[in-house]
Amino acid sequence: MTARLAILASGRGSNLQAILDAIAAGTLDASVVGVFSDKPEAPALQRVPEALRWARTPKACGGRDAFDATLAEAIAAVRPDWIVCVGYMRILGAAFVQRFAGRLLNIHPSLLPRHKGLHTHQRALEAGDAEHGASVHFVTAELDGGPVIAQARVPVQPGDDAETLAARVLAVEHPLLLQVLRLAAAGRLAERDGRVYIDAQPVFTPRPLESAPA
């Protein structure tokens, strides 16, 4: 059966567009059943028809907990199989995470557990890292702390700044996310007791990107 995806986004939605393009091309057996944002002006919302858009601000909902509860009800209403965070810039509360545990995925622009949180590209440069990249992981109540499913690595090159490094990482983010979503859509991906399972077998190290862009 076609997997139902609820997407959480706060920004421009380039990963969302990669998902939509893969669905349209027939390379991802899924449908986007809603795009949810904490920013009503987020460009990501414009990538889907109005009927699939949901946006509220925490302030309008009466605070963080009320926002999370309202968001959770809106997501539950579209009956998603998976909830996918693509550039969603709010930390999800513990009650929200618990409600959708095992079905929440996030893509993060670093090689977790390195550089959790924001400004990952600049921090990788400041740390003198030889390589950088992106991770797709299950979401837990710990910031960027859930078990990592797959990672894509890129070299840090002489003369890189945060902008050039970000562009190189973005080029591998899209195929990495789609690789994981294909596993999820096929029923091959699960999380139990803080560990990733693929084809019912435990995964001890993150899967690499199967084919990196040239």
Side-chain angles (χ1 to χ4, degrees), residues 105-122:
L105 303 174
N106 180 53
I107 185 161
H108 181 74
S110 82
L111 296 174
L112 293 172
R114 293 183 67 81
H115 311 310
K116 298 178 181 181
L118 302 175
H119 311 300
T120 61
H121 311 303
Q122 185 62 41

PDB file of all heavy atoms in Angstrom, residues 105-122:
ATOM      1  N   LEU A 105      10.575  10.773  11.566  1.00  0.00           N
ATOM      2  CA  LEU A 105      11.897  10.837  10.949  1.00  0.00           C
ATOM      3  C   LEU A 105      12.332  12.285  10.800  1.00  0.00           C
ATOM      4  O   LEU A 105      11.512  13.181  10.605  1.00  0.00           O
ATOM      5  CB  LEU A 105      11.876  10.172   9.567  1.00  0.00           C
ATOM      6  CG  LEU A 105      11.424   8.711   9.497  1.00  0.00           C
ATOM      7  CD1 LEU A 105      11.320   8.269   8.042  1.00  0.00           C
ATOM      8  CD2 LEU A 105      12.378   7.819  10.265  1.00  0.00           C
ATOM      9  N   ASN A 106      13.650  12.503  10.863  1.00  0.00           N
ATOM     10  CA  ASN A 106      14.199  13.846  10.673  1.00  0.00           C
ATOM     11  C   ASN A 106      15.472  13.739   9.844  1.00  0.00           C
ATOM     12  O   ASN A 106      16.239  12.782   9.981  1.00  0.00           O
ATOM     13  CB  ASN A 106      14.529  14.490  12.025  1.00  0.00           C
ATOM     14  CG  ASN A 106      15.103  15.894  11.873  1.00  0.00           C
ATOM     15  OD1 ASN A 106      14.512  16.746  11.209  1.00  0.00           O
ATOM     16  ND2 ASN A 106      16.254  16.147  12.477  1.00  0.00           N
ATOM     17  N   ILE A 107      15.692  14.737   8.984  1.00  0.00           N
ATOM     18  CA  ILE A 107      16.971  14.843   8.293  1.00  0.00           C
ATOM     19  C   ILE A 107      17.721  16.031   8.884  1.00  0.00           C
ATOM     20  O   ILE A 107      17.158  17.120   9.048  1.00  0.00           O
ATOM     21  CB  ILE A 107      16.805  14.964   6.762  1.00  0.00           C
ATOM     22  CG1 ILE A 107      18.182  14.952   6.093  1.00  0.00           C
ATOM     23  CG2 ILE A 107      15.973  16.169   6.348  1.00  0.00           C
ATOM     24  CD1 ILE A 107      18.158  14.601   4.627  1.00  0.00           C
ATOM     25  N   HIS A 108      18.985  15.777   9.235  1.00  0.00           N
ATOM     26  CA  HIS A 108      19.790  16.783   9.925  1.00  0.00           C
ATOM     27  C   HIS A 108      21.104  16.981   9.171  1.00  0.00           C
ATOM     28  O   HIS A 108      21.752  15.994   8.783  1.00  0.00           O
ATOM     29  CB  HIS A 108      20.077  16.326  11.360  1.00  0.00           C
ATOM     30  CG  HIS A 108      20.888  17.309  12.148  1.00  0.00           C
ATOM     31  ND1 HIS A 108      20.355  18.491  12.623  1.00  0.00           N
ATOM     32  CD2 HIS A 108      22.186  17.302  12.517  1.00  0.00           C
ATOM     33  CE1 HIS A 108      21.294  19.156  13.262  1.00  0.00           C
ATOM     34  NE2 HIS A 108      22.412  18.458  13.221  1.00  0.00           N
ATOM     35  N   PRO A 109      21.529  18.235   8.967  1.00  0.00           N
ATOM     36  CA  PRO A 109      22.727  18.494   8.166  1.00  0.00           C
ATOM     37  C   PRO A 109      24.031  18.390   8.954  1.00  0.00           C
ATOM     38  O   PRO A 109      24.784  19.361   9.099  1.00  0.00           O
ATOM     39  CB  PRO A 109      22.487  19.917   7.647  1.00  0.00           C
ATOM     40  CG  PRO A 109      21.699  20.565   8.737  1.00  0.00           C
ATOM     41  CD  PRO A 109      20.810  19.482   9.298  1.00  0.00           C
ATOM     42  N   SER A 110      24.299  17.202   9.480  1.00  0.00           N
ATOM     43  CA  SER A 110      25.606  16.907  10.062  1.00  0.00           C
ATOM     44  C   SER A 110      25.726  15.402  10.196  1.00  0.00           C
ATOM     45  O   SER A 110      24.747  14.659  10.020  1.00  0.00           O
ATOM     46  CB  SER A 110      25.797  17.569  11.431  1.00  0.00           C
ATOM     47  OG  SER A 110      25.196  16.802  12.463  1.00  0.00           O
ATOM     48  N   LEU A 111      26.926  14.953  10.528  1.00  0.00           N
ATOM     49  CA  LEU A 111      27.158  13.534  10.775  1.00  0.00           C
ATOM     50  C   LEU A 111      26.941  13.289  12.262  1.00  0.00           C
ATOM     51  O   LEU A 111      27.866  13.296  13.058  1.00  0.00           O
ATOM     52  CB  LEU A 111      28.581  13.147  10.340  1.00  0.00           C
ATOM     53  CG  LEU A 111      28.875  13.295   8.843  1.00  0.00           C
ATOM     54  CD1 LEU A 111      30.349  13.029   8.553  1.00  0.00           C
ATOM     55  CD2 LEU A 111      27.989  12.351   8.018  1.00  0.00           C
ATOM     56  N   LEU A 112      25.679  13.094  12.617  1.00  0.00           N
ATOM     57  CA  LEU A 112      25.345  12.877  14.022  1.00  0.00           C
ATOM     58  C   LEU A 112      26.128  11.675  14.575  1.00  0.00           C
ATOM     59  O   LEU A 112      26.375  10.721  13.848  1.00  0.00           O
ATOM     60  CB  LEU A 112      23.834  12.630  14.161  1.00  0.00           C
ATOM     61  CG  LEU A 112      22.945  13.830  13.842  1.00  0.00           C
ATOM     62  CD1 LEU A 112      21.478  13.411  13.818  1.00  0.00           C
ATOM     63  CD2 LEU A 112      23.152  14.954  14.851  1.00  0.00           C
ATOM     64  N   PRO A 113      26.579  11.730  15.835  1.00  0.00           N
ATOM     65  CA  PRO A 113      26.183  12.715  16.859  1.00  0.00           C
ATOM     66  C   PRO A 113      26.946  14.023  16.856  1.00  0.00           C
ATOM     67  O   PRO A 113      26.775  14.829  17.767  1.00  0.00           O
ATOM     68  CB  PRO A 113      26.452  11.936  18.151  1.00  0.00           C
ATOM     69  CG  PRO A 113      27.614  11.060  17.813  1.00  0.00           C
ATOM     70  CD  PRO A 113      27.385  10.632  16.404  1.00  0.00           C
ATOM     71  N   ARG A 114      27.792  14.260  15.858  1.00  0.00           N
ATOM     72  CA  ARG A 114      28.488  15.546  15.794  1.00  0.00           C
ATOM     73  C   ARG A 114      27.512  16.656  15.400  1.00  0.00           C
ATOM     74  O   ARG A 114      26.644  16.476  14.563  1.00  0.00           O
ATOM     75  CB  ARG A 114      29.637  15.498  14.788  1.00  0.00           C
ATOM     76  CG  ARG A 114      30.779  14.572  15.187  1.00  0.00           C
ATOM     77  CD  ARG A 114      31.919  14.611  14.196  1.00  0.00           C
ATOM     78  NE  ARG A 114      32.606  15.905  14.170  1.00  0.00           N
ATOM     79  CZ  ARG A 114      33.532  16.288  15.048  1.00  0.00           C
ATOM     80  NH1 ARG A 114      33.880  15.482  16.040  1.00  0.00           N
ATOM     81  NH2 ARG A 114      34.117  17.454  14.937  1.00  0.00           N
ATOM     82  N   HIS A 115      27.685  17.816  16.015  1.00  0.00           N
ATOM     83  CA  HIS A 115      27.012  19.051  15.616  1.00  0.00           C
ATOM     84  C   HIS A 115      25.484  18.944  15.610  1.00  0.00           C
ATOM     85  O   HIS A 115      24.823  19.181  14.604  1.00  0.00           O
ATOM     86  CB  HIS A 115      27.511  19.509  14.243  1.00  0.00           C
ATOM     87  CG  HIS A 115      29.015  19.535  14.124  1.00  0.00           C
ATOM     88  ND1 HIS A 115      29.810  20.156  15.064  1.00  0.00           N
ATOM     89  CD2 HIS A 115      29.861  18.992  13.215  1.00  0.00           C
ATOM     90  CE1 HIS A 115      31.085  20.009  14.722  1.00  0.00           C
ATOM     91  NE2 HIS A 115      31.134  19.298  13.596  1.00  0.00           N
ATOM     92  N   LYS A 116      24.956  18.560  16.758  1.00  0.00           N
ATOM     93  CA  LYS A 116      23.507  18.639  16.935  1.00  0.00           C
ATOM     94  C   LYS A 116      23.092  20.098  16.964  1.00  0.00           C
ATOM     95  O   LYS A 116      23.873  20.980  17.308  1.00  0.00           O
ATOM     96  CB  LYS A 116      23.101  17.948  18.247  1.00  0.00           C
ATOM     97  CG  LYS A 116      23.428  16.464  18.297  1.00  0.00           C
ATOM     98  CD  LYS A 116      23.052  15.871  19.645  1.00  0.00           C
ATOM     99  CE  LYS A 116      23.407  14.397  19.708  1.00  0.00           C
ATOM    100  NZ  LYS A 116      23.034  13.786  21.008  1.00  0.00           N
ATOM    101  N   GLY A 117      21.837  20.375  16.602  1.00  0.00           N
ATOM    102  CA  GLY A 117      21.337  21.742  16.675  1.00  0.00           C
ATOM    103  C   GLY A 117      21.617  22.538  15.412  1.00  0.00           C
ATOM    104  O   GLY A 117      21.680  21.986  14.305  1.00  0.00           O
ATOM    105  N   LEU A 118      21.830  23.830  15.589  1.00  0.00           N
ATOM    106  CA  LEU A 118      21.899  24.779  14.475  1.00  0.00           C
ATOM    107  C   LEU A 118      23.338  25.064  14.041  1.00  0.00           C
ATOM    108  O   LEU A 118      24.290  24.680  14.701  1.00  0.00           O
ATOM    109  CB  LEU A 118      21.212  26.086  14.868  1.00  0.00           C
ATOM    110  CG  LEU A 118      19.738  25.971  15.294  1.00  0.00           C
ATOM    111  CD1 LEU A 118      19.226  27.334  15.773  1.00  0.00           C
ATOM    112  CD2 LEU A 118      18.887  25.449  14.147  1.00  0.00           C
ATOM    113  N   HIS A 119      23.450  25.759  12.898  1.00  0.00           N
ATOM    114  CA  HIS A 119      24.729  26.288  12.385  1.00  0.00           C
ATOM    115  C   HIS A 119      25.761  25.170  12.206  1.00  0.00           C
ATOM    116  O   HIS A 119      26.945  25.333  12.506  1.00  0.00           O
ATOM    117  CB  HIS A 119      25.266  27.389  13.305  1.00  0.00           C
ATOM    118  CG  HIS A 119      24.256  28.434  13.652  1.00  0.00           C
ATOM    119  ND1 HIS A 119      23.624  29.213  12.689  1.00  0.00           N
ATOM    120  CD2 HIS A 119      23.750  28.813  14.852  1.00  0.00           C
ATOM    121  CE1 HIS A 119      22.783  30.030  13.293  1.00  0.00           C
ATOM    122  NE2 HIS A 119      22.832  29.814  14.592  1.00  0.00           N
ATOM    123  N   THR A 120      25.304  24.040  11.694  1.00  0.00           N
ATOM    124  CA  THR A 120      26.177  22.872  11.630  1.00  0.00           C
ATOM    125  C   THR A 120      27.354  23.058  10.680  1.00  0.00           C
ATOM    126  O   THR A 120      28.459  22.571  10.948  1.00  0.00           O
ATOM    127  CB  THR A 120      25.384  21.634  11.194  1.00  0.00           C
ATOM    128  OG1 THR A 120      24.844  21.853   9.887  1.00  0.00           O
ATOM    129  CG2 THR A 120      24.262  21.331  12.177  1.00  0.00           C
ATOM    130  N   HIS A 121      27.149  23.752   9.577  1.00  0.00           N
ATOM    131  CA  HIS A 121      28.217  23.881   8.585  1.00  0.00           C
ATOM    132  C   HIS A 121      29.357  24.747   9.134  1.00  0.00           C
ATOM    133  O   HIS A 121      30.534  24.383   9.008  1.00  0.00           O
ATOM    134  CB  HIS A 121      27.660  24.463   7.287  1.00  0.00           C
ATOM    135  CG  HIS A 121      26.419  23.762   6.810  1.00  0.00           C
ATOM    136  ND1 HIS A 121      26.392  22.404   6.554  1.00  0.00           N
ATOM    137  CD2 HIS A 121      25.155  24.217   6.589  1.00  0.00           C
ATOM    138  CE1 HIS A 121      25.170  22.056   6.173  1.00  0.00           C
ATOM    139  NE2 HIS A 121      24.411  23.134   6.191  1.00  0.00           N
ATOM    140  N   GLN A 122      29.020  25.857   9.740  1.00  0.00           N
ATOM    141  CA  GLN A 122      30.042  26.710  10.337  1.00  0.00           C
ATOM    142  C   GLN A 122      30.765  25.989  11.466  1.00  0.00           C
ATOM    143  O   GLN A 122      31.991  26.093  11.611  1.00  0.00           O
ATOM    144  CB  GLN A 122      29.402  28.005  10.861  1.00  0.00           C
ATOM    145  CG  GLN A 122      30.405  29.021  11.398  1.00  0.00           C
ATOM    146  CD  GLN A 122      31.375  29.485  10.328  1.00  0.00           C
ATOM    147  OE1 GLN A 122      30.996  29.724   9.176  1.00  0.00           O
ATOM    148  NE2 GLN A 122      32.653  29.582  10.690  1.00  0.00           N
TER     149      GLN A 122
END
